Amino acid sequence: MDLGIQSQDLAIKDLFAPGQRLSMPSYQRSYSWGEREATALMQDLQDASELEELHFIGAIVVNTSGQFNSLEIVDGQQRLTTLTILLCLLRDHEPDPNFARQIQALIYDEPDPERGEPGNYRLNLNQLDAEFFRQRIQTPGQAERHDVSGDAQLVGSQHRIAEAAKALGSQVSRLDEESRRALATTLLDRCALVRVTVDNRDRGYQVYRVLNTRGRDPNAHDIIKTELFEAARFDREQANDYSAQWAEYEAVLGSDSLDDLLRQIRALHDRNPKGDLVSGFKRSVLEKVSPRNFLEEHMPAYVSAYMDLKTGRMGAQAVARGINDYLNRMRAIDHSGWKAPSLKFLMERGVADPASEEFFWGLERLAYVIQLVVHKREQRDRRYRRVIDAIGDDEVLFAPDGPLAIGKEEADKVRERLTGRFATFSQRRAMALRLNAAVEGGTTLPPEADATVEHVLPRNPPAKSHWLTTWSDTGRRRELCDTLGNFVLLTHQQNQSADRLNYREKKRVYFGPNGENPFALTRDLVDQQAWTAEIVRERTQILASILANHWKLP
């Protein structure tokens, strides 16, 4: 009996095989992923690449009743669009023309005049975004351009595509040739999915609703809880008691944060914390700690310590306030490796420990140095692993060549990086918030504060604006726009008002009728009468020096 539904396990290279055509119907919403979701997918693929393991991206739903010789995407647009962006970037960075052609074959079929076959893009977005996606992403040589978001005429979804390409491109460009080739091979050969094919749209949305809304997919903490309860051999009454306690943890932390806490606990026990969280947690934690002991003694203490990390609010004592500042500054960073050593210190030694101030000062400095100059996750993990291993031995922990120390060669790289461009939103905001705490009269702001990064020189000056007159050199604008010297902090409302105004009008927004601004990073502009390339360069050097001195870089 034909039920009109078929499922098939496929590799990406089979889904995107020559002759295949996937189309986004006009009624579907446009691309909605942000930088965070796109880079998370790439990180998962990198982990699978390093471990030489399969990576499963889930199920997609397609409908055969759309255009002739085309599969209409019902569910899966965000993943397939992001994977196509990544394929285009890997193609554009690939030095071997033969391998580049293999990748291109998953993106586009060249026309065959002899057979009368036109060219065929493997993935076709909706009418709003299709042409932009073809010209600025799918066309060879275009995806690697990091200025794809520079067109002020782009609609929101096109900006999101451009920002995803920029974020992924930044990560791809940091990889060496061998790592890029391994990532591409993983994407082609070891990236799997289930394609669910239906014969009409109504049935497609029935499948979509079942997969996405009827019954919440289990989080990692749901599965780990089950493993713990089964291993502890609880009876029904005990299971109910511990389930209530576990539910309280989820209510206090939130589902995603509870998953993250378990990830940090695993990192404390596992010297190679890659791959699946659940299997890694079972192997590294539950083989060392009895399930009952973990639930009764370890978990409550971990939850309490993690709440301190999550909120940056540990108490009113002077030492606690200082450590709150370090935690809040680390919370703004775009990686989370600092959490595991922080968690261990708070669990084993506590905020009242005489060395706590020195530890968190050194850890915060290390976290920013890692963000700035250590790009490979494997190297980041090793640096934090050394800190974790030394937390019980101050002679090692605080040694001149210890895990918290910064050497001269690395310090030089940091100084150089501080005077360069910051291409991603998360890095720009982290650095602006960090500077606001370091400059004279500044304070530490938590990441959730109403503080946004404003580019004094706009990233996309409007046509006929004075910016294009005073900054006529396009290369110079691009070079200096995303440097520290061009950043100030404003509230969201101020930022929306300032946007792409000329400099004098911006200053009226910055300081208002009373000449005041709540952010220390912005206040030094109060007497600055012009905004030129020389001023931005000088301010960049000054701000970089402030951070270098604050961190006591050798």
Side-chain angles (χ1 to χ4, degrees), residues 52-196:
E52 297 185 351
E53 289 183 349
L54 177 77
H55 179 65
F56 179 62
I57 66 166
I60 68 165
V61 183
V62 295
N63 165 32
T64 60
S65 66
Q67 300 177 10
F68 174 73
N69 197 29
S70 177
L71 294 174
E72 197 174 70
I73 299 171
V74 178
D75 182 35
Q77 175 190 191
Q78 312 303 323
R79 287 164 289 164
L80 296 182
T81 303
T82 305
L83 289 170
T84 298
I85 294 171
L86 184 53
L87 282 169
C88 293
L89 287 162
L90 291 168
R91 171 203 62 196
D92 290 350
H93 280 84
E94 178 52 53
D96 181 352
N98 292 324
F99 194 61
R101 279 193 290 272
Q102 290 183 43
I103 301 174
Q104 173 67 357
L106 304 183
I107 301 165
Y108 180 67
D109 290 329
E110 297 292 338
D112 188 343
E114 293 184 5
R115 297 185 180 182
E117 294 176 356
N120 170 45
Y121 286 95
R122 199 75 63 245
L123 181 67
N124 298 269
L125 301 189
N126 62 23
Q127 294 173 336
L128 186 65
D129 299 331
E131 190 61 24
F132 167 80
F133 196 61
R134 289 171 186 170
Q135 292 184 4
R136 307 291 283 274
I137 302 295
Q138 291 170 305
T139 299
Q142 294 300 305
E144 67 176 348
R145 291 173 53 198
H146 286 191
D147 61 344
V148 289
S149 61
D151 188 342
Q153 303 304 313
L154 300 185
V155 299
S157 54
Q158 293 167 8
H159 269 298
R160 288 189 287 274
I161 291 169
E163 290 298 328
K166 180 185 294 186
L168 294 175
S170 179
Q171 294 200 16
V172 168
S173 64
R174 292 173 183 169
L175 300 175
D176 55 42
E177 184 178 330
E178 181 180 356
S179 299
R180 282 200 302 269
R181 181 70 56 80
L183 177 61
T185 301
T186 295
L187 186 51
L188 270 61
D189 297 331
R190 293 195 295 270
C191 186
L193 55 90
V194 173
R195 184 179 67 187
V196 181

Side-chain angles (χ1 to χ4, degrees), residues 243-539:
S243 290
Q245 189 176 35
W246 195 273
E248 186 176 338
Y249 298 151
E250 184 173 2
V252 169
L253 295 180
S255 183
D256 290 345
S257 291
L258 184 51
D259 274 1
D260 186 53
L261 168 58
L262 296 171
R263 191 174 295 112
Q264 304 310 324
I265 295 171
R266 180 229 179 146
L268 293 176
H269 291 81
D270 194 344
R271 304 197 69 82
N272 186 28
K274 295 179 181 177
D276 178 65
L277 170 59
V278 175
S279 58
F281 191 93
K282 287 171 59 180
R283 181 188 68 250
S284 61
V285 179
L286 298 187
E287 290 183 2
K288 300 174 183 176
V289 183
S290 76
R292 285 178 182 266
N293 185 254
F294 180 83
L295 287 165
E296 291 173 0
E297 297 183 17
H298 293 234
M299 194 62 183
Y302 276 126
V303 170
S304 176
Y306 187 88
M307 277 300 294
D308 293 336
L309 303 188
K310 183 179 179 181
T311 63
R313 295 194 296 268
M314 283 193 290
Q317 302 94 340
V319 66
R321 289 198 302 271
I323 293 172
N324 287 341
D325 285 347
Y326 297 129
L327 292 175
N328 277 318
R329 295 198 285 259
M330 288 189 285
R331 288 171 59 219
I333 293 175
D334 63 1
H335 69 272
S336 60
W338 58 273
K339 290 182 181 178
S342 298
L343 198 63
K344 183 172 183 179
F345 192 95
L346 292 175
M347 286 279 292
E348 295 186 2
R349 302 181 61 164
V351 70
D353 188 285
S356 63
E357 177 81 16
E358 184 178 3
F359 172 78
F360 282 101
W361 179 88
L363 183 63
E364 187 238 328
R365 178 180 71 165
L366 177 67
Y368 273 89
V369 167
I370 285 175
Q371 173 177 267
L372 291 168
V373 299
V374 182
H375 303 306
K376 290 189 175 182
R377 181 174 174 179
E378 186 178 279
Q379 294 174 348
R380 291 181 173 188
D381 289 346
R382 282 202 297 268
R383 296 289 292 273
Y384 286 120
R385 182 77 249 169
R386 289 184 61 212
V387 178
I388 291 169
D389 291 343
I391 279 175
D393 187 342
D394 284 0
E395 289 189 7
V396 174
L397 185 62
F398 301 119
D401 59 349
L404 293 174
I406 306 299
K408 184 180 184 304
E409 182 179 351
E410 190 166 52
D412 290 342
K413 291 179 181 178
V414 172
R415 287 191 176 89
E416 181 180 0
R417 179 71 187 90
L418 287 172
T419 59
R421 295 179 63 203
F422 291 88
T424 66
F425 165 81
S426 58
Q427 286 200 350
R428 290 194 291 270
R429 189 162 191 267
M431 296 309 300
L433 291 174
R434 186 62 189 83
L435 281 165
N436 193 73
V439 297
E440 184 178 359
T443 57
T444 295
L445 300 170
E448 58 272 14
D450 182 13
T452 65
V453 179
E454 151 78 352
H455 292 71
V456 183
L457 164 68
R459 302 187 76 205
N460 303 305
K464 299 181 180 179
S465 82
H466 94 291
W467 291 110
L468 298 181
T469 302
T470 56
W471 290 74
S472 58
D473 187 328
T474 302
R476 183 175 293 180
R477 288 203 310 270
R478 289 178 179 170
E479 174 197 351
L480 297 177
C481 184
D482 289 329
T483 57
L484 297 180
N486 195 47
F487 299 162
V488 295
L489 284 174
L490 300 178
T491 66
H492 280 84
Q493 184 175 359
Q494 286 177 313
N495 207 329
Q496 289 178 350
S497 299
D499 194 21
R500 295 183 292 172
L501 299 175
N502 66 44
Y503 180 64
R504 289 189 178 182
E505 292 170 332
K506 277 179 179 264
K507 282 192 64 178
R508 294 191 191 101
V509 176
Y510 293 175
F511 298 104
N514 299 321
E516 297 178 353
N517 186 284
F519 303 111
L521 181 61
T522 309
R523 289 198 286 266
D524 67 306
L525 269 63
V526 69
D527 295 322
Q528 186 66 56
Q529 300 304 315
W531 201 250
T532 65
E534 290 70 24
I535 290 169
V536 174
R537 286 199 182 97
E538 182 181 0
R539 187 169 184 259

Side-chain angles (χ1 to χ4, degrees), residues 220-233:
H221 65 78
D222 292 317
I223 302 172
I224 289 173
K225 178 185 74 172
T226 301
E227 296 284 349
L228 283 163
F229 287 15
E230 288 182 354
R233 300 185 182 279

Side-chain angles (χ1 to χ4, degrees), residues 28-68:
Q28 277 273 30
R29 68 174 182 171
S30 297
Y31 188 73
S32 62
W33 271 15
E35 177 184 311
R36 180 174 62 86
E37 292 89 349
T39 54
L41 176 58
M42 178 174 170
Q43 186 61 64
D44 289 340
L45 288 165
Q46 283 185 269
D47 287 347
S49 175
E50 292 174 7
L51 296 170
E52 297 185 351
E53 289 183 349
L54 177 77
H55 179 65
F56 179 62
I57 66 166
I60 68 165
V61 183
V62 295
N63 165 32
T64 60
S65 66
Q67 300 177 10
F68 174 73

